[in-house]
Amino acid sequence: MATKLLSRYPWATSPFVIGAPMRVMSGPALAVAVSRAGGLGFIGPGLKTTDTGVDLEEASSLIDKARASSFKTLSSSSLLPVGVGFQLWSDDLSTAMGTIEKYKPCAVWLFAPKEGQKDLDEWSRRIRAVSPETQIWIQIGSLGEAKSILQSSEKPDVVVVQGTESGGHGRMADGMGIMTLFPEVADTLASSHIPLLAAGGIADGRGVAAALCLGASGVVMGTRFLASSEARISRGYQNEVVRASDGATNTTRTLLYNHLRGTYGWPPEYSPRTIINKSFIEHRAGTPFEELKKRHDEAAKSGDSGWGPDGRLATYAGASIGLIHNVSDAERIVRDVRNDASRRIQGLAAA
Amino acid sequence: MATKLLSRYPWATSPFVIGAPMRVMSGPALAVAVSRAGGLGFIGPGLKTTDTGVDLEEASSLIDKARASSFKTLSSSSLLPVGVGFQLWSDDLSTAMGTIEKYKPCAVWLFAPKEGQKDLDEWSRRIRAVSPETQIWIQIGSLGEAKSILQSSEKPDVVVVQGTESGGHGRMADGMGIMTLFPEVADTLASSHIPLLAAGGIADGRGVAAALCLGASGVVMGTRFLASSEARISRGYQNEVVRASDGATNTTRTLLYNHLRGTYGWPPEYSPRTIINKSFIEHRAGTPFEELKKRHDEAAKSGDSGWGPDGRLATYAGASIGLIHNVSDAERIVRDVRNDASRRIQGLAAA
């Protein structure tokens, strides 16, 4: 299954490493760098759906440059060798379709529908109408969603299974660690023969190798790429991802930071994992929201010092923060985790 | 590290599979069967500490029988080739020491101290005084506990790292899925060179292989062995472990069932994962505890029908319930997961 999947992305190398479509932070530079390294980079949803077109335009030009230099393999597909993600509950379907038709990304990643499989089916149908070769990826984080896919007449080409270790928005009440969630979803979807990717809590070669053993055809990393030189992220935020450790006690799933930022409307099934800082600590201690909001907005004016243990700004990140110790080029991250994963598997096989 | 660890248990085969010391349910028959299969079986804590001596007496006689027949390898150690677990907050130290001195189990598994590392250190010192060759295993579920071990002058021989997917009692507020917890603990304890085992959410060859990739020197399974013919468990309970699926929505961590059974006194860091049934559903809906207790005690008289979706009795189990579909001999479970794990790793290495 992993080999068949890779054949769709001819520049890609095994094990298949994917850069998650993190909202705003996964921009064209990061996505192209991941693909250049033989992975597949996704551009995240923008603040507005129209932003995605701007990002894809820039990605196209970066890819043209890469093709002109040494990255010939990126030409071996007629599609754009980066993917793009949409946040279904907030993104505009028509705008998205125009963008997909124009840029023909190799893959579109659908996440967080308001009405579950119904919305996923509609987006999938429309995408296949405007760009039949574009592969449809759907992110799920629960067994219930896997069962809905089985019933669907618009089955995706790839399913991303995200464990609760993940950063950013994921399933709240029906999520679970990837160690049990992935194999149970895999058994449930076995008859569909859809390749599955593992996401959530994977930040180094150990996690990549482990995910492959669980049956994944590839792995998705998000938080690890927050600490890449190409991430579209504030320095203060990035420093905090590198600094923080002990994901179990220093991250939590909470809607607090969404609300402090004025973001409302996420479907109730989701909540984001974030690094804990003063806003959450004071919230837990009972400080009223209005006061927290005032302090938050003040901190937002203070630049990079708004993040960190004494900061107050949203620092969405996964439980893998303790495995990330430096900022690195995305290409190096991809090559390092791939090589380390392969070495580990070879080492265990020889033992 | 894995090879060095195995040399302590000369009958054991790689990958090293361990049967968890589940309270009461891991009796002598289960423990001996796991060791006979080339793993290491633990006897769980009893209702009273004196029960452990009775269990070890029976285990000794089972091992003598096994040695007399075909399981010669079990003789290759002067220690008893099964381990034994104690629940430090409730077990009696002096009684435990008498038992360890008399039976000399190859390993003692320490869990749930009232006063953290201080209690672990005292038990370790005392065990080493009465049985110097017995290996000390400590179970942790958080990074904080790993840091305490680093500071200790009575370091254990083995550390078991348990993710929150686990069944029964585990860390509540500072636990995390094994996918990120294990590698972060491994990095923290790297300088100690203590072999680490992975526990929680592992129920088949996929999980075993994944844990090895994360860096584990072996894996511990609990819930899988609840569905073994040798488990000391009611049929109704066992049927429910086999029947239930979707560990994310059908299990939860709650103290409710402890309290319904009249169990109080667990240190506040712990809570057990259990399969949800009517007691929890009605508790969540607001039914007063006294009423739930009455209904629970009534259900306790009804035998095996006290378990199941319409039942009310405690059904401690891990999030791996959806990966367990049959009751099998413990020996077959051990051999199957070991072979499947090895096959997976060989397959990935050859790909």
Side-chain angles (χ1 to χ4, degrees):
Chain A
M1 202 116 76
T3 314
K4 198 178 139 208
L5 174 66
L6 269 182
S7 71
R8 284 281 177 183
Y9 312 94
W11 63 88
T13 307
S14 173
F16 195 19
V17 174
I18 291 99
M22 296 179 289
R23 188 155 178 268
V24 180
M25 298 185 287
S26 298
L30 175 55
V32 171
V34 172
S35 289
R36 276 170 60 138
L40 171 54
F42 275 82
I43 289 170
L47 293 177
K48 304 183 308 294
T49 309
T50 47
D51 295 350
T52 299
V54 179
D55 278 352
L56 281 170
E57 184 62 39
E58 190 182 333
S60 299
S61 116
L62 288 172
I63 287 161
D64 284 343
K65 274 187 218 156
R67 281 172 173 159
S69 62
S70 53
F71 294 90
K72 306 281 184 229
T73 54
L74 288 179
S75 328
S76 50
S77 166
S78 60
L79 301 168
L80 199 65
V82 295
V84 59
F86 292 100
Q87 197 170 283
L88 271 54
W89 72 268
S90 60
D91 269 316
D92 180 66
L93 177 58
S94 303
T95 307
M97 292 311 122
T99 307
I100 293 168
E101 185 165 21
K102 180 169 177 192
Y103 292 99
K104 303 235 172 350
C106 64
V108 175
W109 174 311
L110 305 179
F111 178 50
K114 205 165 224 154
E115 301 193 49
Q117 194 59 42
K118 183 171 160 286
D119 289 352
L120 293 167
D121 286 349
E122 187 184 357
W123 277 70
S124 300
R125 234 185 336 264
R126 296 279 298 270
I127 293 168
R128 284 172 173 148
V130 299
S131 182
E133 293 299 306
T134 293
Q135 299 285 290
I136 311 258
W137 293 34
I138 286 182
Q139 175 189 338
I140 65 172
S142 67
L143 200 68
E145 293 165 284
K147 289 178 180 168
S148 297
I149 288 174
L150 269 190
Q151 305 301 319
S152 161
S153 56
E154 280 291 339
K155 293 204 172 41
D157 300 297
V158 170
V159 172
V160 177
V161 183
Q162 187 195 53
T164 49
E165 294 92 342
S166 70
H169 286 77
R171 301 297 285 197
M172 187 143 54
D174 56 1
M176 184 46 69
I178 195 76
M179 185 62 98
T180 60
L181 181 67
F182 190 95
E184 193 170 3
V185 166
D187 291 344
T188 301
L189 288 177
S191 62
S192 73
H193 302 292
I194 300 171
L196 307 183
L197 305 177
I202 301 168
D204 60 23
R206 293 174 287 191
V208 172
L212 298 178
C213 288
L214 291 179
S217 294
V219 301
V220 178
M221 298 196 300
T223 306
R224 183 62 190 94
F225 289 118
L226 290 181
S228 70
S229 15
E230 294 88 348
R232 199 155 56 183
I233 188 174
S234 302
R235 185 58 60 96
Y237 188 156
Q238 188 171 62
N239 287 346
E240 178 62 355
V241 170
V242 171
R243 185 204 65 80
S245 64
D246 194 356
T249 59
N250 293 322
T251 71
T252 192
R253 288 197 177 275
T254 174
L255 292 168
L256 175 67
Y257 294 90
N258 278 4
H259 298 168
L260 288 172
R261 290 157 52 88
T263 303
Y264 291 86
W266 270 90
E269 297 88 354
Y270 303 92
S271 74
R273 183 179 295 281
T274 182
I275 298 175
I276 290 172
N277 60 21
K278 278 194 154 177
S279 293
F280 184 76
I281 290 166
E282 293 173 6
H283 162 71
R284 205 165 41 185
T287 308
F289 179 77
E290 289 65 33
E291 183 56 34
L292 293 175
K293 170 79 175 149
K294 220 171 71 187
R295 297 177 191 170
H296 169 271
D297 293 351
E298 202 55 44
K301 296 177 196 154
S302 66
D304 288 330
S305 65
W307 289 276
D310 292 328
R312 300 184 167 277
L313 304 183
T315 319
Y316 303 123
S320 63
I321 45 170
L323 305 175
I324 299 167
H325 307 295
N326 62 341
V327 175
S328 181
D329 291 346
E331 285 201 44
R332 164 162 292 190
I333 292 172
V334 173
R335 292 179 202 282
D336 282 356
V337 300
R338 203 164 52 208
N339 292 341
D340 184 46
S342 299
R343 253 196 319 268
R344 275 172 189 279
I345 288 165
Q346 297 296 341
L348 285 169
Chain B
M1 203 115 74
T3 314
K4 198 178 139 210
L5 175 65
L6 269 182
S7 70
R8 284 279 177 186
Y9 312 94
W11 63 89
T13 308
S14 172
F16 196 18
V17 174
I18 291 98
M22 297 179 287
R23 189 157 176 268
V24 179
M25 299 185 286
S26 298
L30 176 55
V32 171
V34 172
S35 289
R36 277 169 59 137
L40 172 54
F42 276 82
I43 289 171
L47 293 179
K48 305 183 305 296
T49 308
T50 46
D51 295 350
T52 299
V54 178
D55 278 351
L56 282 170
E57 184 63 40
E58 189 182 334
S60 298
S61 114
L62 288 171
I63 287 161
D64 284 343
K65 275 188 216 154
R67 280 172 173 160
S69 62
S70 54
F71 293 91
K72 307 281 184 227
T73 53
L74 288 179
S75 328
S76 50
S77 167
S78 59
L79 301 168
L80 198 67
V82 295
V84 59
F86 292 100
Q87 197 172 280
L88 271 53
W89 71 268
S90 60
D91 268 316
D92 179 66
L93 177 58
S94 302
T95 307
M97 291 312 120
T99 307
I100 292 169
E101 185 166 21
K102 178 169 180 194
Y103 292 100
K104 302 236 173 350
C106 64
V108 174
W109 174 309
L110 305 179
F111 178 50
K114 204 166 224 155
E115 301 192 50
Q117 194 61 41
K118 183 172 159 286
D119 289 352
L120 293 167
D121 286 348
E122 188 185 357
W123 278 69
S124 301
R125 235 184 335 263
R126 297 278 298 268
I127 293 168
R128 284 173 173 148
V130 300
S131 181
E133 293 299 306
T134 293
Q135 299 284 290
I136 310 256
W137 293 34
I138 286 182
Q139 175 188 338
I140 65 172
S142 66
L143 200 68
E145 293 164 285
K147 289 178 180 167
S148 298
I149 287 173
L150 269 191
Q151 305 302 319
S152 161
S153 56
E154 280 292 338
K155 292 203 174 41
D157 300 296
V158 170
V159 172
V160 177
V161 184
Q162 185 195 55
T164 49
E165 294 91 342
S166 69
H169 285 77
R171 301 297 284 197
M172 187 143 57
D174 56 1
M176 183 46 69
I178 194 76
M179 186 62 99
T180 60
L181 181 67
F182 190 94
E184 194 171 2
V185 166
D187 291 344
T188 301
L189 288 177
S191 63
S192 74
H193 302 292
I194 301 171
L196 307 182
L197 305 176
I202 301 168
D204 61 22
R206 292 174 287 191
V208 172
L212 298 177
C213 287
L214 291 178
S217 293
V219 301
V220 178
M221 299 196 299
T223 306
R224 182 63 191 92
F225 289 118
L226 290 181
S228 70
S229 13
E230 294 88 348
R232 199 155 57 181
I233 187 176
S234 301
R235 184 58 60 95
Y237 187 157
Q238 188 172 62
N239 287 346
E240 178 61 354
V241 170
V242 172
R243 184 203 66 81
S245 64
D246 195 356
T249 60
N250 294 322
T251 71
T252 192
R253 286 197 178 275
T254 174
L255 292 169
L256 175 68
Y257 294 90
N258 278 4
H259 297 168
L260 288 172
R261 291 157 52 89
T263 304
Y264 291 87
W266 269 89
E269 297 86 355
Y270 303 93
S271 73
R273 183 178 296 281
T274 182
I275 299 176
I276 290 171
N277 60 21
K278 278 195 152 178
S279 294
F280 184 76
I281 289 166
E282 293 172 6
H283 162 71
R284 204 166 41 186
T287 307
F289 179 78
E290 289 64 33
E291 183 55 34
L292 293 175
K293 170 79 175 148
K294 220 172 71 187
R295 296 177 192 171
H296 169 271
D297 293 350
E298 201 54 44
K301 297 177 197 153
S302 66
D304 289 329
S305 66
W307 289 276
D310 293 328
R312 299 183 168 277
L313 304 183
T315 320
Y316 303 123
S320 63
I321 44 170
L323 306 175
I324 298 167
H325 306 297
N326 62 340
V327 175
S328 182
D329 291 346
E331 284 202 45
R332 164 162 291 188
I333 292 172
V334 174
R335 291 179 203 283
D336 282 357
V337 301
R338 202 164 52 207
N339 293 340
D340 185 45
S342 298
R343 253 197 318 269
R344 274 172 190 279
I345 288 166
Q346 296 295 342
L348 285 169

